Amino acid sequence: MRSIYKTKILEEADQALQVIEYLSKKGYSRTEAMLRVESAVQDADGRPPPARAEDTGGLKYGKAFEIMRTWIEENLDIYKADLRRLLWPVFVYSFLNIVSDYYPRESRTFFNAFRSHFEDEHESDLRALGPISLPEHVLTNTVAKIYRDSRYRVTLSQVAFYNLLQFLESKEKEGGAVIISVIQSNINVVTVERAADDQYTLTRLLQRARAGEDFPAEDEGIPGHHPGSANTDRNVSTVLTKLKLGPLPMEGDLMNDVRAELEEEDARNPPGDGQLSLTENFEQQIKREESEDAPSRNDVPLPLSVARDVAMEVQKVKENRDRFKIEGRTGGVGPGVSVTMFTFHNTHDSINCLDFSGDWLLVAAGMSESYIRVWSLDGKSLPSAVAPGSAPQLPSASRRLIGHSGPVYAVSFSPAVMTSDPLAPSTNSKQLLSSSADKTIRLWSLETWTCLVVYSGHDSPVWDVTWGPFGHYFLSGGGDRTARLWRTDQIQYLRLFVGHDQDVDIVCFHPNSAYIFTGSCDRIVRMWLCSNGYPVRMFTGHAGNVTALACSPNGKILASADDAGTIILWDLAPGKLLKRMRGHGKGGIWSISWSVESTVLISGGADGTVRVWDVQLPNDASGQGKVVGEGGAGQKLDGGAQIPLVGGAGKKKGKDVVVTSDQISAFPTKKSPVYKVKFTRQNLAIAGGAYLP
């Protein structure tokens, strides 16, 4: 009798499979999905077991997710911040499962019920997943395919994760089994012991809980990549590519010429008491020979040096010796960094970008009206070399460079230094780069004030362009999701860097010119090797679009900033996040710059402030900053100072801004967004912005 019953059950199952295959071939996807659900759950008589409506179909995911979310929010503070990391991937995969099982009404109810918990951190993904309502959408939606084809990686402490599993098992019938199934099928949970990683010590767990962190970890997300690695294949080795972060060795002939010039200068002007001679300072700085931790000159081919290069290197040594030294905090007191601010009036919000020349004689602005304007910082008339037969130009303290057919988004002066020796070769900026919405990059002469070359290659607006530290090379990033490496004497680009999922908004060079960095609105920062175009690091962890990048002069740390007002410091060699610094208000951070010693960082942004940050990791990390209110009257900082918001912020009370303890000082403007900040080689801070009444 029992064998007859088993045979009957098998025959019915086979028939159900045949019907499902027929429905699939004919395209009856909804009927197929319903039959799959009904045939999968049967009692002893082959009939669906009686169940409550909320325990079946798409409703079970909503009930299970609410149980899990409530338990996490009521958990101990030391585990709450980590356990919250699981909510987003469980939410996404639950939503996709509901849609795939063909429950359009239940999927919309689920999505709308819980989306508000993730809008600050995952706004772009929510926007992409929002229109999904049918199984066909899951197969064609780009973001949904990324999640379905990959396992979401989350790192949790062992105690927190095991406590979660015990809770879910105790609530198996109420929905715990549903959550366990989602985690097992779609999420790669990496458990870490407290002693194995200082990020999961009791102190760090308490700090994260108190700070109320709402940003992703650097090793979290899609796909399950290794922290810092640019290779997203989960099957590759966890060994990272070794980087050569040391300074580029100086050319032999250039080194000898510079040393000879410095010896003559020391003979004419001997150093004071307790002061190093220029020759001694040069010997401490230079990289004499190639080593494993530095690239070779073959990796970064440069033209032979000329007299101008010798004069520039001599001046750099002088400025380095006589600079204002910033060694970071001393006894908890920050260094006295002051800022010189250049404010542009009557611009009518037409300035898109600013840059200061390395000799601090010129400032250039890219305009939304498709031209570039260059001013003399000292107010003197700009020199102009007139070609034979041409009419001389009238003396003026500013010039317009006209040629682009779209708004100018970036300008960059060629490397230069200021020199006081009238007999030495000129070391002033000779050229200017600009990029525009017209998809081109232009090279301008600052002697004749004319366009020399037009570089074409990008298929979309070029958002950023910057010179390499030694000149000759420059880098661009655009809306075609690529970055390109160029050389001034070639019309075609040398390298094409492809890998970002969205526009490349910001680019910068490593100080030794062997690597470049790219930041994108996909919230990822990538590091590339210039010699072959290969990616060597990938840094994830920003909660907003990446808007500014700067590598430290010592070549070991990268600073990246986003439009959410957060600065992240990355240790390049291991590809690890060092720390986050917060304090800027709404609108994001547009520019960052390092001090010569790589100990202090300055930043400027849309909130109309210039802020000074301590880069060094604090010995006592207990202080996580103060929460300051942001409203129509301004941002309230330490000491009760009021910083007015820029651009007429709304009168409604906004979200509180957390100022971390890394902030040394803040300099408010009246109503001037800060477009550019820059440290000189003598550690003087310069900033520029436009007044917006």
Side-chain angles (χ1 to χ4, degrees):
M1 185 67 181
R2 182 174 298 177
S3 61
I4 296 175
Y5 174 74
K6 289 183 178 180
T7 303
K8 182 179 179 181
I9 293 298
L10 292 175
E11 290 176 353
E12 292 179 352
D14 185 59
Q15 291 175 359
L17 289 175
Q18 292 177 3
V19 173
I20 289 173
E21 292 178 359
Y22 173 80
L23 295 174
S24 178
K25 291 179 181 179
K26 293 297 182 180
Y28 300 117
S29 56
R30 181 172 183 179
T31 307
E32 176 196 352
M34 296 297 296
L35 182 57
R36 286 184 182 276
V37 174
E38 292 178 358
S39 61
V41 184
Q42 298 177 343
D43 60 11
D45 297 326
R47 296 173 299 183
R52 294 179 298 174
E54 61 269 23
D55 294 334
T56 60
L59 295 176
K60 65 182 179 183
Y61 288 96
K63 177 184 177 182
F65 186 82
E66 179 60 26
I67 291 175
M68 173 186 173
R69 192 189 68 82
T70 302
W71 180 80
I72 289 177
E73 295 301 327
E74 295 176 351
N75 212 307
L76 296 176
D77 287 343
I78 60 174
Y79 302 129
K80 188 183 301 184
D82 281 339
L83 290 172
R84 283 174 176 168
R85 307 282 188 216
L86 276 173
L87 291 176
W88 168 250
V90 171
F91 167 80
V92 172
Y93 288 113
S94 297
F95 171 69
L96 296 178
N97 287 344
I98 300 173
V99 175
S100 299
D101 291 341
Y102 216 109
Y103 293 103
R105 183 178 301 175
E106 289 84 349
S107 66
R108 184 54 41 202
T109 301
F110 178 85
F111 189 83
N112 293 334
F114 300 109
R115 66 171 297 169
S116 60
H117 301 292
F118 310 104
E119 287 179 343
D120 292 340
E121 184 178 343
H122 301 283
E123 180 182 0
S124 59
D125 283 355
L126 287 171
R127 191 182 304 113
L129 295 172
I132 296 177
S133 60
L134 298 174
E136 292 81 1
H137 299 165
V138 178
L139 301 177
T140 57
N141 184 278
T142 303
V143 175
K145 288 174 64 178
I146 292 175
Y147 279 92
R148 291 299 293 249
D149 296 342
S150 307
R151 291 172 66 89
Y152 194 102
R153 173 179 174 136
V154 179
T155 302
L156 301 175
S157 63
Q158 284 187 354
V159 177
F161 184 58
Y162 292 157
N163 285 343
L164 174 64
L165 290 181
Q166 290 179 358
F167 169 76
L168 294 176
E169 290 174 354
S170 67
K171 299 289 184 179
E172 181 178 1
K173 294 183 179 180
E174 290 85 350
V178 175
I179 301 298
I180 291 176
S181 176
V182 171
I183 294 175
Q184 291 177 340
S185 302
N186 305 288
I187 303 175
N188 177 24
V189 179
V190 180
T191 57
V192 179
E193 294 183 8
R194 285 182 182 173
D197 192 331
D198 59 1
Q199 293 294 315
Y200 293 91
T201 60
L202 183 59
T203 303
R204 286 294 297 137
L205 290 172
L206 287 171
Q207 289 170 5
R208 288 202 293 271
R210 292 169 186 164
E213 294 180 354
D214 56 354
F215 38 74
E218 71 273 16
D219 59 348
E220 174 184 333
I222 290 291
H225 63 273
H226 306 297
S229 174
N231 194 327
T232 58
D233 185 357
R234 297 185 300 275
N235 299 320
V236 299
S237 171
T238 59
V239 179
L240 298 177
T241 303
K242 184 177 180 181
L243 303 179
K244 296 181 179 180
L245 303 177
L248 186 70
M250 185 176 290
E251 179 188 334
D253 292 341
L254 177 60
M255 184 190 306
N256 295 331
D257 292 341
V258 172
R259 185 182 289 108
E261 290 287 336
L262 293 176
E263 289 174 352
E264 293 181 5
E265 182 66 25
D266 284 332
R268 290 193 299 265
N269 301 299
D273 295 338
Q275 187 180 40
L276 292 177
S277 67
L278 293 174
T279 306
E280 292 172 337
N281 190 276
F282 177 65
E283 295 294 339
Q284 292 180 358
Q285 290 184 57
I286 63 172
K287 186 77 176 179
R288 294 187 180 83
E289 56 188 20
E290 298 179 359
S291 61
E292 292 184 357
D293 66 339
S296 68
R297 296 193 64 84
N298 293 329
D299 297 331
V300 187
L302 294 170
L304 295 176
S305 60
V306 295
R308 182 176 187 270
D309 298 319
V310 177
M312 289 183 65
E313 293 299 329
V314 169
Q315 183 62 25
K316 288 179 182 178
V317 174
K318 293 180 180 179
E319 292 180 351
N320 183 271
R321 186 192 67 173
D322 300 334
R323 74 185 188 277
F324 170 68
K325 295 178 176 57
I326 300 177
E327 304 297 344
R329 295 191 181 224
T330 303
V333 179
V337 178
S338 60
V339 180
T340 299
M341 178 75 180
F342 291 89
T343 304
F344 296 82
H345 293 265
N346 302 320
T347 63
H348 306 291
D349 200 17
S350 62
I351 293 181
N352 291 332
C353 55
L354 287 176
D355 191 31
F356 296 96
S357 62
D359 54 11
W360 306 105
L361 295 177
L362 304 174
V363 59
M367 300 293 189
S368 58
E369 291 91 348
S370 307
Y371 68 91
I372 302 155
R373 190 160 185 177
V374 182
W375 287 273
S376 170
L377 287 176
D378 57 8
K380 297 180 180 179
S381 297
L382 295 175
S384 177
V386 182
S390 301
Q393 298 181 359
L394 296 176
S396 175
S398 67
R399 297 283 188 188
R400 286 193 181 190
L401 303 178
I402 300 174
H404 283 293
S405 59
V408 179
Y409 293 129
V411 289
S412 179
F413 283 100
S414 60
V417 296
M418 179 183 291
T419 179
S420 57
D421 187 357
L423 301 178
S426 173
T427 58
N428 298 334
S429 290
K430 300 293 185 182
Q431 296 170 329
L432 176 74
L433 285 168
S434 62
S435 64
S436 167
D438 63 9
K439 309 177 187 178
T440 66
I441 303 164
R442 287 179 178 259
L443 179 66
W444 305 85
S445 169
L446 299 180
E447 295 176 322
T448 62
W449 305 101
T450 57
C451 180
L452 301 176
V453 189
V454 179
Y455 301 94
S456 300
H458 285 279
D459 298 329
S460 297
V462 186
W463 300 120
D464 194 26
V465 66
T466 185
W467 284 94
F470 306 104
H472 194 56
Y473 297 99
F474 63 92
L475 183 65
S476 64
D480 54 4
R481 306 180 184 182
T482 68
R484 298 167 194 250
L485 180 68
W486 309 76
R487 204 165 71 185
T488 53
D489 58 354
Q490 290 189 14
I491 198 69
Q492 294 292 333
Y493 56 85
L494 301 177
R495 295 283 183 271
L496 180 67
F497 305 96
V498 181
H500 284 286
D501 295 328
Q502 300 294 334
D503 295 12
V504 177
D505 296 323
I506 191 76
V507 294
C508 80
F509 276 89
H510 188 274
N512 64 20
S513 202
Y515 303 95
I516 63 109
F517 304 93
T518 58
S520 169
C521 48
D522 63 6
R523 304 182 179 184
I524 295 175
V525 177
R526 293 176 182 266
M527 182 179 183
W528 313 78
L529 183 61
C530 288
S531 60
N532 55 23
Y534 289 168
V536 292
R537 294 289 186 273
M538 181 170 70
F539 305 105
T540 61
H542 278 286
N545 303 330
V546 181
T547 54
L549 293 173
C551 188
S552 62
N554 63 17
K556 297 179 180 179
I557 304 175
L558 175 71
S560 60
D562 58 36
D563 59 7
T566 300
I567 300 174
I568 302 181
L569 300 183
W570 309 94
D571 191 349
L572 295 179
K576 286 283 190 178
L577 183 150
L578 289 177
K579 66 174 178 178
R580 300 175 189 265
M581 302 184 295
R582 291 188 289 177
H584 279 279
K586 295 179 180 178
I589 301 168
W590 293 342
S591 181
I592 50 180
S593 181
W594 290 84
S595 65
V596 175
E597 298 84 1
S598 303
T599 56
V600 168
L601 193 75
I602 58 173
S603 62
D607 64 349
T609 65
V610 178
R611 297 173 187 263
V612 184
W613 307 91
D614 183 18
V615 172
Q616 296 177 351
L617 295 175
N619 295 326
D620 181 11
S622 59
Q624 290 301 301
K626 299 181 180 180
V627 177
V628 293
E630 180 182 324
Q635 300 171 1
K636 187 177 181 181
L637 297 186
D638 297 343
Q642 293 289 328
I643 296 182
L645 293 178
V646 178
K651 296 182 179 180
K652 294 182 179 180
K653 184 178 180 181
K655 183 179 178 181
D656 285 343
V657 177
V658 175
V659 179
T660 59
S661 58
D662 312 282
Q663 179 176 295
I664 297 174
S665 54
F667 300 90
T669 63
K670 289 187 177 179
K671 290 185 178 181
S672 302
V674 181
Y675 298 141
K676 187 71 176 181
V677 294
K678 198 170 183 179
F679 265 116
T680 71
R681 292 185 182 86
Q682 292 184 298
N683 277 334
L684 304 178
I686 308 294
Y691 178 71
L692 300 179

